[in-house]
Amino acid sequence: MKEPKQLSVSAIESGTVIDHIPAKTLFKVISILGLDHIDSQITFGTNLESKKLGRKAIIKISGKFFEDTDINRIALVAPEAKLNIIREYEVVEKKVVEVPDAIVGIAKCMNPKCITNYEKVTTRFKVVSKKNVALKCHYCEKITNQENLQII
């Protein structure tokens, strides 16, 4: 019997690996981080087996490190994601993505009548649920849940 061919993704010398992304939110994470507009080498895989998530996605970005504001953006659509910071092929730091207590200027209020949707007002939300992300608008007090969440 012939041995199955094993294809593996090469390690990155330095950069960031984002793991434990729910498979269905991979392209949201790519969009949120603007990865579709950068010149760095990016490798991603989706629908990979995961004991925790069932199916997961992973992204490797060579030469790119993220600010906490970017990490907060990831948390909104992939609250269980983990970041591994790589330098000289070694994991030098692990970061767990955490949904912050407040979200400013990242998400859009789902209430069409909210002032933030027709005036130049920065959106502000209080996070009322971190597990299934739910945000309460500072201005109109409407709750925007994960299904209706739009990242701006």
Side-chain angles (χ1 to χ4, degrees):
M1 196 162 104
K2 217 173 174 183
E3 280 292 311
K5 277 191 177 177
Q6 184 77 27
L7 295 177
S8 61
V9 177
S10 60
I12 56 176
E13 184 177 346
S14 73
T16 305
V17 176
I18 308 168
D19 198 0
H20 299 286
I21 303 165
K24 67 183 189 301
T25 63
L26 169 68
F27 292 101
K28 267 190 184 172
V29 172
I30 289 171
S31 175
I32 286 166
L33 295 175
L35 299 179
D36 45 346
H37 303 294
I38 66 170
D39 293 332
S40 302
Q41 181 181 341
I42 301 168
T43 307
F44 65 85
T46 190
N47 292 322
L48 307 170
E49 282 187 40
S50 166
K51 289 181 180 72
K52 197 168 167 185
L53 299 170
R55 296 268 174 212
K56 73 171 184 176
I58 187 170
I59 306 172
K60 292 181 171 191
I61 309 109
S62 187
K64 179 86 174 129
F65 304 95
F66 295 98
E67 300 294 326
D68 287 346
T69 54
D70 292 320
I71 294 168
N72 290 351
R73 288 171 183 247
I74 298 168
L76 293 177
V77 296
E80 310 240 329
K82 309 236 178 317
L83 275 74
N84 293 318
I85 310 306
I86 313 291
R87 296 194 194 280
E88 296 178 15
Y89 298 103
E90 298 289 326
V91 176
V92 295
E93 188 181 350
K94 289 181 178 250
K95 292 185 179 183
V96 177
V97 168
E98 286 186 70
V99 178
D101 295 328
I103 301 293
V104 178
I106 295 175
K108 178 178 170 32
C109 182
M110 68 175 275
N111 177 5
K113 294 183 175 141
C114 181
I115 190 167
T116 61
N117 286 317
Y118 60 87
E119 296 280 334
K120 276 205 172 289
V121 177
T122 302
T123 60
R124 305 174 86 75
F125 296 93
K126 179 178 187 230
V127 176
V128 290
S129 173
K130 292 187 179 194
K131 187 77 179 133
N132 295 315
V133 176
L135 310 175
K136 183 177 183 180
C137 180
H138 173 77
Y139 301 99
C140 71
E141 299 195 335
K142 278 267 193 245
I143 303 288
T144 299
N145 60 17
Q146 204 158 16
E147 288 76 53
N148 298 308
L149 187 63
Q150 284 190 330
I151 306 299
I152 50 177

Short mmCIF file of all heavy atoms in Angstrom, two decimals, residues 10-19 41 58-66 82-95:
data_model
loop_
_atom_site.label_atom_id
_atom_site.label_comp_id
_atom_site.label_asym_id
_atom_site.label_seq_id
_atom_site.Cartn_x
_atom_site.Cartn_y
_atom_site.Cartn_z
N SER A 10 4.98 25.42 5.75
CA SER A 10 6.27 25.72 6.35
C SER A 10 6.12 26.69 7.52
O SER A 10 5.20 27.50 7.55
CB SER A 10 7.23 26.29 5.31
OG SER A 10 6.69 27.48 4.78
N ALA A 11 7.03 26.57 8.46
CA ALA A 11 7.04 27.45 9.62
C ALA A 11 7.40 28.86 9.17
O ALA A 11 8.05 29.05 8.14
CB ALA A 11 8.06 26.96 10.63
N ILE A 12 6.98 29.86 9.94
CA ILE A 12 7.37 31.23 9.61
C ILE A 12 8.50 31.65 10.53
O ILE A 12 8.55 31.24 11.68
CB ILE A 12 6.18 32.22 9.66
CG1 ILE A 12 5.48 32.22 11.02
CG2 ILE A 12 5.19 31.95 8.56
CD1 ILE A 12 4.37 33.26 11.14
N GLU A 13 9.41 32.46 9.99
CA GLU A 13 10.56 32.92 10.77
C GLU A 13 10.12 33.90 11.85
O GLU A 13 10.52 33.80 13.00
CB GLU A 13 11.59 33.57 9.85
CG GLU A 13 12.85 33.97 10.60
CD GLU A 13 13.92 34.56 9.70
OE1 GLU A 13 13.83 34.43 8.47
OE2 GLU A 13 14.85 35.16 10.24
N SER A 14 9.31 34.88 11.46
CA SER A 14 8.75 35.79 12.45
C SER A 14 7.40 36.28 11.94
O SER A 14 7.19 36.41 10.74
CB SER A 14 9.71 36.96 12.71
OG SER A 14 9.71 37.85 11.64
N GLY A 15 6.52 36.52 12.89
CA GLY A 15 5.18 36.95 12.53
C GLY A 15 4.18 36.46 13.55
O GLY A 15 4.53 36.20 14.70
N THR A 16 2.94 36.29 13.11
CA THR A 16 1.86 35.92 14.01
C THR A 16 1.07 34.75 13.44
O THR A 16 0.78 34.72 12.24
CB THR A 16 0.90 37.12 14.20
OG1 THR A 16 1.65 38.25 14.64
CG2 THR A 16 -0.18 36.82 15.23
N VAL A 17 0.74 33.81 14.31
CA VAL A 17 -0.15 32.72 13.96
C VAL A 17 -1.43 32.92 14.78
O VAL A 17 -1.37 33.05 15.99
CB VAL A 17 0.47 31.34 14.28
CG1 VAL A 17 -0.53 30.23 13.99
CG2 VAL A 17 1.75 31.12 13.49
N ILE A 18 -2.56 32.98 14.09
CA ILE A 18 -3.85 33.10 14.77
C ILE A 18 -4.53 31.74 14.63
O ILE A 18 -4.81 31.28 13.52
CB ILE A 18 -4.73 34.20 14.14
CG1 ILE A 18 -3.96 35.52 14.05
CG2 ILE A 18 -6.02 34.38 14.95
CD1 ILE A 18 -4.63 36.57 13.19
N ASP A 19 -4.77 31.10 15.77
CA ASP A 19 -5.31 29.75 15.79
C ASP A 19 -6.66 29.75 16.50
O ASP A 19 -7.02 30.71 17.17
CB ASP A 19 -4.32 28.83 16.53
CG ASP A 19 -4.55 27.35 16.24
OD1 ASP A 19 -5.47 27.02 15.47
OD2 ASP A 19 -3.80 26.53 16.79
N GLN A 41 3.50 37.54 3.41
CA GLN A 41 3.09 36.19 3.07
C GLN A 41 2.06 35.72 4.09
O GLN A 41 2.27 35.83 5.29
CB GLN A 41 4.29 35.25 3.10
CG GLN A 41 3.92 33.83 2.73
CD GLN A 41 5.11 32.89 2.79
OE1 GLN A 41 6.25 33.31 2.77
NE2 GLN A 41 4.84 31.61 2.87
N ILE A 58 -7.02 28.55 10.74
CA ILE A 58 -5.75 29.08 11.24
C ILE A 58 -5.18 30.03 10.19
O ILE A 58 -5.39 29.82 8.99
CB ILE A 58 -4.77 27.93 11.57
CG1 ILE A 58 -3.51 28.44 12.26
CG2 ILE A 58 -4.44 27.13 10.33
CD1 ILE A 58 -2.62 27.34 12.82
N ILE A 59 -4.53 31.09 10.65
CA ILE A 59 -3.89 32.05 9.74
C ILE A 59 -2.46 32.26 10.22
O ILE A 59 -2.23 32.48 11.40
CB ILE A 59 -4.61 33.43 9.74
CG1 ILE A 59 -6.09 33.28 9.45
CG2 ILE A 59 -3.95 34.38 8.74
CD1 ILE A 59 -6.89 34.57 9.63
N LYS A 60 -1.50 32.20 9.28
CA LYS A 60 -0.10 32.52 9.57
C LYS A 60 0.28 33.73 8.75
O LYS A 60 0.13 33.72 7.53
CB LYS A 60 0.83 31.36 9.18
CG LYS A 60 0.68 30.12 10.01
CD LYS A 60 1.68 29.06 9.54
CE LYS A 60 1.71 27.89 10.48
NZ LYS A 60 2.83 26.99 10.18
N ILE A 61 0.74 34.79 9.43
CA ILE A 61 1.12 36.02 8.75
C ILE A 61 2.59 36.28 9.01
O ILE A 61 2.99 36.51 10.15
CB ILE A 61 0.28 37.23 9.21
CG1 ILE A 61 -1.21 36.91 9.14
CG2 ILE A 61 0.58 38.45 8.35
CD1 ILE A 61 -1.86 36.75 10.45
N SER A 62 3.38 36.25 7.97
CA SER A 62 4.82 36.44 8.10
C SER A 62 5.15 37.92 8.27
O SER A 62 4.62 38.77 7.54
CB SER A 62 5.50 35.89 6.85
OG SER A 62 6.89 35.91 7.00
N GLY A 63 5.98 38.24 9.26
CA GLY A 63 6.47 39.60 9.44
C GLY A 63 5.44 40.59 9.96
O GLY A 63 5.64 41.80 9.86
N LYS A 64 4.33 40.13 10.49
CA LYS A 64 3.27 41.05 10.95
C LYS A 64 2.94 40.77 12.42
O LYS A 64 2.78 39.63 12.82
CB LYS A 64 2.02 40.85 10.09
CG LYS A 64 0.85 41.71 10.45
CD LYS A 64 0.92 43.06 9.78
CE LYS A 64 -0.35 43.86 10.05
NZ LYS A 64 -0.12 45.17 10.54
N PHE A 65 2.86 41.85 13.19
CA PHE A 65 2.49 41.78 14.60
C PHE A 65 1.35 42.75 14.81
O PHE A 65 1.30 43.81 14.18
CB PHE A 65 3.69 42.12 15.49
CG PHE A 65 4.88 41.24 15.20
CD1 PHE A 65 5.88 41.64 14.32
CD2 PHE A 65 4.97 39.97 15.76
CE1 PHE A 65 6.95 40.82 14.03
CE2 PHE A 65 6.04 39.13 15.46
CZ PHE A 65 7.03 39.56 14.59
N PHE A 66 0.42 42.42 15.68
CA PHE A 66 -0.81 43.20 15.81
C PHE A 66 -0.86 44.01 17.10
O PHE A 66 -0.37 43.59 18.13
CB PHE A 66 -2.03 42.28 15.74
CG PHE A 66 -2.16 41.61 14.41
CD1 PHE A 66 -1.69 40.32 14.20
CD2 PHE A 66 -2.72 42.29 13.33
CE1 PHE A 66 -1.79 39.71 12.96
CE2 PHE A 66 -2.83 41.69 12.09
CZ PHE A 66 -2.36 40.40 11.91
N LYS A 82 -6.53 32.25 19.54
CA LYS A 82 -5.26 32.37 20.25
C LYS A 82 -4.23 32.90 19.26
O LYS A 82 -4.23 32.52 18.10
CB LYS A 82 -4.80 31.01 20.76
CG LYS A 82 -5.87 30.26 21.54
CD LYS A 82 -5.43 29.88 22.91
CE LYS A 82 -6.47 29.18 23.72
NZ LYS A 82 -7.81 29.64 23.71
N LEU A 83 -3.35 33.78 19.74
CA LEU A 83 -2.29 34.31 18.90
C LEU A 83 -0.95 33.81 19.41
O LEU A 83 -0.69 33.84 20.62
CB LEU A 83 -2.28 35.85 18.95
CG LEU A 83 -3.21 36.56 17.98
CD1 LEU A 83 -4.64 36.45 18.45
CD2 LEU A 83 -2.82 38.00 17.84
N ASN A 84 -0.14 33.34 18.51
CA ASN A 84 1.23 32.96 18.82
C ASN A 84 2.16 33.92 18.10
O ASN A 84 2.07 34.07 16.88
CB ASN A 84 1.53 31.52 18.37
CG ASN A 84 0.74 30.50 19.16
OD1 ASN A 84 0.61 30.61 20.37
ND2 ASN A 84 0.21 29.52 18.47
N ILE A 85 3.02 34.58 18.86
CA ILE A 85 3.98 35.51 18.29
C ILE A 85 5.26 34.72 18.04
O ILE A 85 5.80 34.10 18.95
CB ILE A 85 4.26 36.69 19.26
CG1 ILE A 85 2.95 37.32 19.78
CG2 ILE A 85 5.17 37.73 18.61
CD1 ILE A 85 1.96 37.75 18.73
N ILE A 86 5.74 34.75 16.80
CA ILE A 86 6.89 33.95 16.38
C ILE A 86 8.07 34.86 16.08
O ILE A 86 7.93 35.85 15.36
CB ILE A 86 6.56 33.15 15.08
CG1 ILE A 86 5.21 32.43 15.16
CG2 ILE A 86 7.70 32.21 14.71
CD1 ILE A 86 5.11 31.30 16.12
N ARG A 87 9.23 34.53 16.64
CA ARG A 87 10.49 35.19 16.30
C ARG A 87 11.55 34.12 16.16
O ARG A 87 11.69 33.27 17.03
CB ARG A 87 10.89 36.20 17.37
CG ARG A 87 9.89 37.36 17.48
CD ARG A 87 10.44 38.53 18.28
NE ARG A 87 9.41 39.48 18.65
CZ ARG A 87 8.89 40.41 17.87
NH1 ARG A 87 9.33 40.56 16.65
NH2 ARG A 87 7.95 41.22 18.30
N GLU A 88 12.30 34.17 15.06
CA GLU A 88 13.33 33.17 14.76
C GLU A 88 12.79 31.74 14.91
O GLU A 88 13.38 30.89 15.56
CB GLU A 88 14.57 33.40 15.65
CG GLU A 88 15.22 34.74 15.34
CD GLU A 88 16.43 35.03 16.23
OE1 GLU A 88 16.94 34.11 16.88
OE2 GLU A 88 16.84 36.20 16.25
N TYR A 89 11.64 31.50 14.31
CA TYR A 89 10.96 30.20 14.25
C TYR A 89 10.48 29.68 15.60
O TYR A 89 10.02 28.55 15.70
CB TYR A 89 11.86 29.14 13.58
CG TYR A 89 12.21 29.47 12.15
CD1 TYR A 89 13.47 29.97 11.82
CD2 TYR A 89 11.28 29.30 11.13
CE1 TYR A 89 13.79 30.29 10.51
CE2 TYR A 89 11.60 29.62 9.82
CZ TYR A 89 12.85 30.11 9.52
OH TYR A 89 13.16 30.42 8.21
N GLU A 90 10.56 30.46 16.65
CA GLU A 90 10.13 30.03 17.98
C GLU A 90 8.93 30.85 18.43
O GLU A 90 8.85 32.04 18.17
CB GLU A 90 11.26 30.23 19.02
CG GLU A 90 12.52 29.43 18.75
CD GLU A 90 12.34 27.94 19.00
OE1 GLU A 90 11.58 27.56 19.92
OE2 GLU A 90 12.95 27.15 18.26
N VAL A 91 8.02 30.20 19.16
CA VAL A 91 6.91 30.92 19.78
C VAL A 91 7.48 31.66 20.98
O VAL A 91 7.97 31.04 21.92
CB VAL A 91 5.78 29.97 20.23
CG1 VAL A 91 4.69 30.74 20.97
CG2 VAL A 91 5.19 29.22 19.05
N VAL A 92 7.48 32.99 20.93
CA VAL A 92 8.04 33.79 22.03
C VAL A 92 6.96 34.34 22.95
O VAL A 92 7.24 34.74 24.07
CB VAL A 92 8.95 34.94 21.52
CG1 VAL A 92 10.18 34.39 20.84
CG2 VAL A 92 8.19 35.89 20.61
N GLU A 93 5.72 34.34 22.46
CA GLU A 93 4.63 34.86 23.28
C GLU A 93 3.32 34.27 22.79
O GLU A 93 3.12 34.08 21.59
CB GLU A 93 4.58 36.39 23.16
CG GLU A 93 3.62 37.06 24.11
CD GLU A 93 3.59 38.58 23.93
OE1 GLU A 93 4.45 39.15 23.22
OE2 GLU A 93 2.69 39.18 24.51
N LYS A 94 2.46 33.94 23.74
CA LYS A 94 1.11 33.47 23.40
C LYS A 94 0.13 34.48 23.96
O LYS A 94 0.27 34.92 25.10
CB LYS A 94 0.84 32.10 24.02
CG LYS A 94 1.62 30.98 23.39
CD LYS A 94 1.27 29.65 24.03
CE LYS A 94 2.01 28.53 23.37
NZ LYS A 94 1.15 27.66 22.59
N LYS A 95 -0.83 34.87 23.14
CA LYS A 95 -1.85 35.82 23.60
C LYS A 95 -3.21 35.16 23.42
O LYS A 95 -3.48 34.56 22.38
CB LYS A 95 -1.81 37.10 22.77
CG LYS A 95 -0.59 37.95 22.97
CD LYS A 95 -0.71 39.25 22.20
CE LYS A 95 0.51 40.13 22.43
NZ LYS A 95 0.38 41.41 21.75
#
